[in-house]
Amino acid sequence: MSATKLVVDAMGGDDAPSVVLEGSAAAVEHNPDLEVILTGPADVIEPFAAEHDRITAHPTTEVIAMDEHPAEAVRNKKDSSIVVGCRLVKEGEGDGFFSAGSTGACLAAATIVMGRLKGVKRPGLVSVIPSPQAQTVICDLGANADCKPDYLVQFATMGSVYAQVVLGVENPRIGLLSIGEEDTKGSEFVLECNKLMHEQVPGFIGNAEGRDIALGGFDVIVTDGFTGNVALKTYEGLGSALLSGLRTALTANTRSKIGASLCMSGINDLRAQLDPDAHGGAQLLGVQGVCMVGHGNSNAKAIENGLLISANAVEQKMTERLADLLDEGE
């Protein structure tokens, strides 16, 4: 089996480069078939690469900051760690790209430099939403704030492939996010999406409500990027608030601390089940290659998980499988 080569933006994220370097080292140690190509300033990545097997350096002279205009930065900073990373994938030197940097810049660079798959109207961001009840894939999570109904039909295909590869679900159950489970509920946009998905999407079983994200019943939930991103951030905020409130309640007095010590194993399991770092970020599907965008506040563990999931996507030929499905649908 040939090695999987991932290009990693060493400068992406709030705590870069330290957490990116640490996470990269952990990923190659975990996966003996993984190689990492770091992009970023030479003085940052070259000494680190020299000390680690299966990690190499590809120096760049520019970095795209989080507050820069994404498209302008991609056009003007062609030697940035993000743009060069996508170019290495396009040229075949890398099998996939990972960055916890500017989401907008990653989307722009992947779309412009790597290019879209044939027939893809809009690439979509997709990830697994963690829950103690179920794991649910959502697409789109923020790549496309304004959508047309046929975009969501493609998001359903993308989400389905992702669920097959990442969750191992052979025939994913697909839902459309709406304000009620009945086909007659929702905005005019949602009603049109519902009609198209019934006609064109294998595995579509109807509308999903917001609570279904956490409670299950659907393997894939499809929505526009604006709604998907709001739902994601709301869910993550609620999870953090729940764990924080639980921590406060369990440390309020001596009696509660004793009780907490007796159920700590279960509490730790719950924390792990709600951890957004478990899947390392969101993958951009619909471009010619694997591209994953990590959380800006990613820690080293999140970086490691993101690289391992990206490597799995390469090994499972996610991009090729999606391209084949899109060809069949034409």
Side-chain angles (χ1 to χ4, degrees):
M1 180 178 178
S2 60
T4 297
K5 297 181 179 180
L6 294 181
V7 186
V8 179
D9 170 20
M11 305 309 293
D14 299 340
D15 297 313
S18 60
V19 297
V20 179
L21 301 181
E22 182 182 347
S24 297
V28 297
E29 182 177 352
H30 187 278
N31 184 346
D33 297 317
L34 175 62
E35 296 180 9
V36 165
I37 303 169
L38 295 170
T39 58
D43 61 341
V44 171
I45 63 174
E46 288 184 338
F48 185 83
E51 297 176 354
H52 293 81
D53 294 334
R54 291 181 286 118
I55 295 181
T56 58
H58 189 105
T60 60
T61 59
E62 297 174 305
V63 174
I64 296 177
M66 299 292 280
D67 59 352
E68 292 188 69
H69 186 280
E72 290 181 5
V74 167
R75 285 194 296 268
N76 296 330
K77 292 187 172 181
K78 299 190 182 301
D79 200 44
S80 65
S81 53
I82 290 176
V83 174
V84 170
C86 290
R87 188 166 70 241
L88 291 175
V89 175
K90 176 67 174 179
E91 295 172 350
E93 294 188 44
D95 300 309
F97 174 67
F98 177 91
S99 175
S102 165
T103 299
C106 290
L107 301 185
T111 303
I112 295 170
V113 178
M114 293 167 63
R116 287 181 286 180
L117 290 173
K118 179 183 176 182
V120 169
K121 297 178 173 64
R122 292 289 189 278
L125 276 173
V126 57
S127 188
V128 176
I129 307 301
S131 166
Q133 299 294 321
Q135 295 192 95
T136 305
V137 171
I138 295 188
C139 185
D140 177 29
L141 287 172
N144 306 276
D146 297 303
C147 290
K148 297 179 180 179
D150 54 344
Y151 297 176
L152 270 69
V153 171
Q154 288 197 337
F155 295 163
T157 301
M158 295 176 185
S160 180
V161 172
Y162 192 85
Q164 291 170 1
V165 171
V166 176
L167 300 183
V169 180
E170 185 174 349
N171 297 301
R173 299 163 298 172
I174 301 169
L176 171 66
L177 191 60
S178 187
I179 58 172
E181 62 182 19
E182 299 86 358
D183 289 342
T184 55
K185 293 288 184 68
S187 64
E188 291 297 325
F189 172 74
V190 169
L191 294 176
E192 180 62 22
C193 291
N194 180 287
K195 179 175 180 294
L196 284 180
M197 293 179 74
H198 270 300
E199 295 171 351
Q200 301 180 24
V201 177
F204 179 64
I205 59 175
N207 286 348
E209 297 182 277
R211 62 189 175 194
D212 295 317
I213 295 173
L215 297 180
F218 298 86
D219 301 302
V220 178
I221 293 179
V222 180
T223 186
D224 63 274
F226 182 91
T227 306
N229 192 266
V230 171
L232 172 66
K233 298 296 174 58
T234 301
Y235 187 84
E236 289 179 344
L238 179 59
S240 296
L242 174 63
L243 292 174
S244 177
L246 184 61
R247 187 182 305 112
T248 299
L250 292 176
T251 58
N253 52 54
T254 301
R255 179 180 295 179
S256 62
K257 290 178 182 178
I258 294 173
S261 67
L262 296 175
C263 59
M264 188 53 65
S265 176
I267 294 171
N268 288 335
D269 288 344
L270 176 62
R271 182 183 293 112
Q273 290 167 345
L274 292 173
D275 186 5
D277 292 335
H279 290 275
Q283 190 165 327
L284 183 67
L285 295 183
V287 294
Q288 297 190 48
V290 170
C291 176
M292 178 166 277
V293 184
H295 300 287
N297 62 353
S298 290
N299 54 29
K301 189 64 178 177
I303 300 293
E304 177 188 0
N305 288 338
L307 296 188
L308 294 176
I309 290 174
S310 297
N312 181 58
V314 172
E315 293 159 7
Q316 296 296 321
K317 300 185 181 300
M318 182 182 292
T319 301
E320 292 85 347
R321 289 165 67 169
L322 178 56
D324 289 343
L325 279 177
L326 291 171
D327 282 343
E328 292 174 8
E330 289 187 349

